[in-house]
């Protein structure tokens, strides 16, 4: 059963991070004396997109508009799903969680970028940088895990429709969300605490518009072997694992849809997962684009621009993708606004 695989996979992830936590604490005690003698820096410089002054008002207006649309769109989806009793189903329960996480995801990076553009300052404090990195890692992993849970929900709905309400019971739904949060928090805290042990030298310029984990490790002048090992292993486990789960789910879904005899039945079954499939394609497609742009070119500007796609654009597009052709969401939003009048 695929649900058993998810539980085992989640348990393995938790064990992995607990194990590395123990190793990290051990190494931290060994290096404590050395760390106390090192000079701690107080701030970093976020280089952002462009230093041309005439472009700053345009960038500020563009990203402010995108951020407001992101927050408003996802907030409406969240409020609609919790206010309409007809949407109290596993699919919309997961969607409301995704909308909440997308708001937090965008709020991790965009507000600080807007403040820097408006004040014409590139400075971010050391504590602020570590905090931003911690929450960014938390919410991007949580996004990936929630998309995997939603893929499993569609898999059960299409491949096992008669047992859907039995399998996707409230206890399992809550457990899947809880496991996703625990795994994301453990990974985020581990990565952040390991970054705190790094020492930084004279080069404090981050060629990005936020404090990204990989950029922080590259800036360090101390040994980063363990940091890189944990970062890449966690990326394989928490990005590759969910992606494999999503691909498996959709392989089974496609197989089940092909077995449906009527064209109308095939269309109805596919329409229930089309929005999710599009969101997954955008999320992983842009993430892969950022990775390829960073490995194939040394131009940090192109990598920064590519990062906008999954940090700002994807959370902004999700509400439109899930609501434009969804009659349930449209009806819930209509009822929500009528109730406010």
């Amino acid at each position: 059963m695929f649900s058993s695989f998810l539980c085992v996979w989640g348990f393995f992830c938790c064990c992995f991070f607990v194990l590395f936590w123990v190793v990290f604490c051990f190494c931290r005690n060994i290096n404590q004396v050395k760390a106390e003698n090192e000079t701690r820096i107080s701030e970093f410089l976020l280089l952002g997109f462009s230093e041309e002054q005439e472009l700053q008002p345009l960038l500020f207006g563009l990203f402010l508009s995108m951020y407001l649309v992101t927050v408003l769109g996802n907030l409406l989806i969240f409020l609609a799903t919790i206010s309409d009793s007809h949407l109290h189903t596993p699919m919309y329960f997961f969607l409301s969680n995704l909308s909440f996480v997308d708001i937090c995801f965008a709020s991790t990076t965009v507000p600080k970028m807007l403040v820097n553009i408006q004040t014409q300052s590139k400075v971010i404090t050391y504590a602020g940088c570590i905090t931003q990195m911690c929450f960014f890692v938390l919410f991007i992993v949580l996004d990936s895990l929630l998309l995997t849970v939603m893929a499993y929900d569609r898999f059960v709905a299409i491949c096992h429709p008669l047992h859907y309400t039995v399998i996707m019971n409230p206890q399992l739904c809550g457990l899947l969300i809880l496991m996703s949060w625990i795994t994301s928090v453990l990974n985020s805290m581990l990565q952040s605490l390991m970054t705190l042990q790094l020492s930084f030298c004279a080069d404090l310029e981050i060629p990005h518009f936020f404090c990204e984990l990989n950029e922080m490790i590259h800036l360090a002048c101390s040994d980063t072997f363990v940091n890189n090992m944990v970062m890449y292993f966690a990326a394989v486990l928490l990005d590759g694992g969910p992606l494999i789960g999503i691909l498996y789910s959709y392989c089974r879904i496609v197989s089940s849809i092909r077995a449906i005899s009527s064209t109308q039945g095939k269309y109805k079954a596919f329409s229930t997962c089309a929005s999710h499939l599009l969101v997954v394609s955008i999320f992983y497609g842009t993430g892969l684009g950022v990775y390829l742009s960073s490995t194939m070119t040394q131009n940090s500007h192109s990598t920064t621009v590519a990062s906008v796609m999954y940090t700002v654009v994807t959370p902004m597009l999700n509400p439109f993708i899930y609501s434009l052709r969804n009659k349930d969401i449209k009806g819930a939003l209509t009822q929500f606004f009528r109730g406010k009048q």
Side-chain angles (χ1 to χ4, degrees):
M1 181 64 66
F2 189 47
S3 59
S4 300
F5 168 77
L6 284 176
C7 293
V8 173
W9 173 79
F11 177 75
F12 175 75
C13 290
C14 293
C15 291
F16 161 73
F17 290 116
V18 170
L19 176 63
F20 265 100
W21 190 291
V22 173
V23 174
F24 165 76
C25 292
F26 178 73
C27 294
R28 184 182 183 184
N29 291 332
I30 293 177
N31 297 322
Q32 186 174 6
V33 176
K34 179 182 177 181
E36 290 176 352
N37 294 328
E38 293 176 350
T39 303
R40 286 290 184 179
I41 63 171
S42 60
E43 61 187 29
F44 290 97
L45 296 178
L46 297 173
L47 299 185
F49 295 95
S50 174
E51 296 184 358
E52 298 181 16
Q53 292 299 320
E54 59 271 16
L55 291 179
Q56 302 308 308
L58 176 62
L59 291 175
F60 181 84
L62 176 63
F63 284 101
L64 177 61
S65 302
M66 295 172 69
Y67 178 67
L68 293 177
V69 171
T70 300
V71 173
L72 181 60
N74 283 286
L75 183 61
L76 287 176
I77 295 292
F78 180 79
L79 294 176
T81 53
I82 65 175
S83 62
D84 192 336
S85 59
H86 296 92
L87 299 184
H88 292 175
T89 62
M91 180 177 71
Y92 292 109
F93 171 68
F94 297 138
L95 178 58
S96 65
N97 278 271
L98 181 66
S99 297
F100 172 75
V101 171
D102 279 342
I103 293 175
C104 298
F105 187 30
S107 300
T108 301
T109 57
V110 179
K112 177 58 180 175
M113 177 179 61
L114 293 175
V115 170
N116 285 359
I117 294 176
Q118 183 65 20
T119 60
Q120 298 183 1
S121 171
K122 300 178 183 295
V123 174
I124 183 172
T125 63
Y126 178 81
C129 193
I130 295 296
T131 303
Q132 186 184 62
M133 183 196 71
C134 177
F135 281 104
F136 178 82
V137 173
L138 167 64
F139 290 120
I140 193 172
V141 170
L142 191 54
D143 236 344
S144 177
L145 296 178
L146 286 177
L147 290 175
T148 308
V149 170
M150 295 174 74
Y152 173 65
D153 173 73
R154 293 298 84 205
F155 159 73
V156 176
I158 295 176
C159 299
H160 305 283
L162 299 180
H163 301 90
Y164 178 73
T165 55
V166 177
I167 298 175
M168 300 303 297
N169 56 75
Q171 291 76 20
L172 179 61
C173 294
L175 179 62
L176 291 173
I177 294 297
L178 181 62
M179 286 172 51
S180 299
W181 273 96
I182 291 175
T183 304
S184 302
V185 169
L186 286 176
N187 173 63
S188 176
M189 294 183 68
L190 175 64
Q191 302 284 5
S192 300
L193 288 173
M194 292 191 67
T195 304
L196 284 172
Q197 302 308 301
L198 297 176
S199 58
F200 298 90
C201 303
D203 185 12
L204 303 178
E205 294 183 345
I206 302 177
H208 223 303
F209 63 93
F210 66 95
C211 294
E212 201 260 342
L213 175 62
N214 191 42
E215 296 291 345
M216 295 283 291
I217 294 177
H218 284 166
L219 280 181
C221 56
S222 56
D223 183 34
T224 59
F225 174 77
V226 177
N227 296 74
N228 281 309
M229 182 183 66
V230 174
M231 179 182 65
Y232 288 121
F233 192 85
V236 171
L237 186 66
L238 299 177
D239 289 330
L243 181 58
I244 291 174
I246 292 173
L247 292 176
Y248 172 78
S249 296
Y250 275 103
C251 286
R252 295 290 302 275
I253 288 173
V254 171
S255 179
S256 297
I257 291 177
R258 291 181 61 185
I260 300 176
S261 57
S262 65
T263 304
Q264 184 178 1
K266 290 182 179 180
Y267 175 79
K268 184 178 180 180
F270 179 76
S271 63
T272 61
C273 57
S275 298
H276 177 263
L277 183 59
L278 180 58
V279 169
V280 168
S281 301
I282 294 176
F283 180 81
Y284 280 99
T286 53
L288 181 61
V290 171
Y291 173 76
L292 293 177
S293 64
S294 62
T295 55
M296 297 179 63
T297 177
Q298 299 299 322
N299 187 355
S300 59
H301 179 72
S302 61
T303 304
T304 303
V305 174
S307 299
V308 175
M309 289 300 297
Y310 74 90
T311 57
V312 183
V313 176
T314 300
M316 181 186 69
L317 291 180
N318 286 353
F320 295 100
I321 295 174
Y322 279 109
S323 62
L324 286 179
R325 299 185 62 183
N326 192 314
K327 295 181 180 180
D328 294 333
I329 293 292
K330 289 181 179 179
L333 290 173
T334 301
Q335 292 295 328
F336 177 79
F337 285 115
R338 285 180 179 176
K340 294 298 181 181
Q341 293 178 354

